Amino acid sequence: MASRDPDRRRKILEASRRLFARYGYGGASISMIAAETGLTKAALYHHFPSKEAIYRASSRTGMDQLLSEVQSAVSQAQGGAEARLRAFMHASVNHYEKNQDSWMSGSALFWGAASDEAREQILEVRDAYEGLLKQIIREGMNAGIFRSDLELRLSSKFLLSIINQLPKWYRSDGKYSATQIIDIYLDTYLNGVRSHQTPAE
């Protein structure tokens, strides 16, 4: 059996991210991916058994990278829960700005995988990403930085929705950068959840 070229595999994944981001899973065909990469469909199937396999691999790779970058940023944050929360949000949006195609295709798989198999494969990364955010909020509540009556699940969903909705309307040539927009939303959130006894960090 012929060996699989890792550079060709990477080329396929990069091209598929662009197409999935532009047309969605249903709109991007194997023929389109082949044309984008300059390969035959037979060459694509040598590396991946199906379009869904390409979709899973391209999205999962981007999500693994996102999780790694966010974990690193949070671990290096200086300060308490607010600083760690801001690091989480900044790292997430910075990843988006650097990898917009990967983000768009990965976000679709993150919240609604194309099949049960894909959903199972992505669940571990999704839970780790959201779990880190919940951990930060919980630590803030336990330390008296955030209000003790916060609903942890809804609070984390609210923050994640800010990040995941941003690509739908954000314009890089607008008045604010993506990080500045995140800070505006985050400051509004923090003003509502801080314990009255705790000054802003």
Side-chain angles (χ1 to χ4, degrees):
M1 179 182 293
S3 62
R4 290 180 170 84
D5 183 348
D7 289 336
R8 179 172 288 183
R9 180 183 173 88
R10 177 180 52 79
K11 182 179 180 180
I12 293 169
L13 294 178
E14 289 175 351
S16 67
R17 287 190 192 111
R18 291 193 296 271
L19 293 172
F20 289 136
R22 191 177 308 148
Y23 301 108
Y25 177 78
S29 67
I30 284 289
S31 295
M32 293 168 67
I33 297 172
E36 185 80 3
T37 57
L39 301 172
T40 64
K41 287 194 285 185
L44 292 183
Y45 286 126
H46 176 68
H47 291 273
F48 299 96
S50 65
K51 184 179 78 168
E52 185 177 320
I54 298 175
Y55 185 62
R56 289 200 307 267
S58 63
S59 301
R60 174 65 189 259
T61 300
M63 290 179 61
D64 283 335
Q65 182 181 358
L66 167 65
L67 178 59
S68 175
E69 291 175 4
V70 170
Q71 288 173 329
S72 177
V74 169
S75 68
Q76 296 176 41
Q78 301 294 317
E82 283 196 21
R84 286 162 55 81
L85 179 56
R86 200 171 294 275
F88 180 99
M89 300 293 283
H90 281 187
S92 295
V93 77
N94 287 340
H95 177 84
Y96 157 69
E97 287 197 292
K98 293 184 297 182
N99 306 276
Q100 293 189 27
D101 291 337
S102 174
W103 182 281
M104 293 298 287
S105 58
S107 180
L109 186 56
F110 193 96
W111 298 110
S115 70
D116 289 341
E117 181 182 358
R119 190 172 295 107
E120 290 174 2
Q121 289 187 3
I122 214 68
L123 188 61
E124 181 180 354
V125 183
R126 185 187 67 184
D127 286 352
Y129 178 73
E130 186 172 355
L132 177 57
L133 177 57
K134 288 180 178 178
Q135 177 185 332
I136 295 168
I137 299 171
R138 186 183 297 108
E139 289 173 354
M141 293 168 65
N142 292 339
I145 297 171
F146 302 150
R147 298 197 331 258
S148 61
D149 63 344
L150 288 181
E151 214 299 327
L152 183 60
R153 179 177 175 275
L154 293 180
S155 196
S156 65
K157 293 294 186 187
F158 173 76
L159 292 170
L160 290 174
S161 70
I162 294 173
I163 297 170
N164 282 284
Q165 290 298 315
L166 189 66
K168 295 183 179 181
W169 58 267
Y170 169 68
R171 291 174 55 91
S172 59
D173 59 352
K175 180 178 180 180
Y176 299 107
S177 69
T179 301
Q180 288 173 322
I181 292 171
I182 286 294
D183 277 335
I184 292 170
Y185 280 115
L186 185 56
D187 287 341
T188 302
Y189 169 82
L190 290 171
N191 286 336
V193 304
R194 285 191 186 106
S195 168
H196 294 304
Q197 291 77 31
T198 305
E201 291 182 358

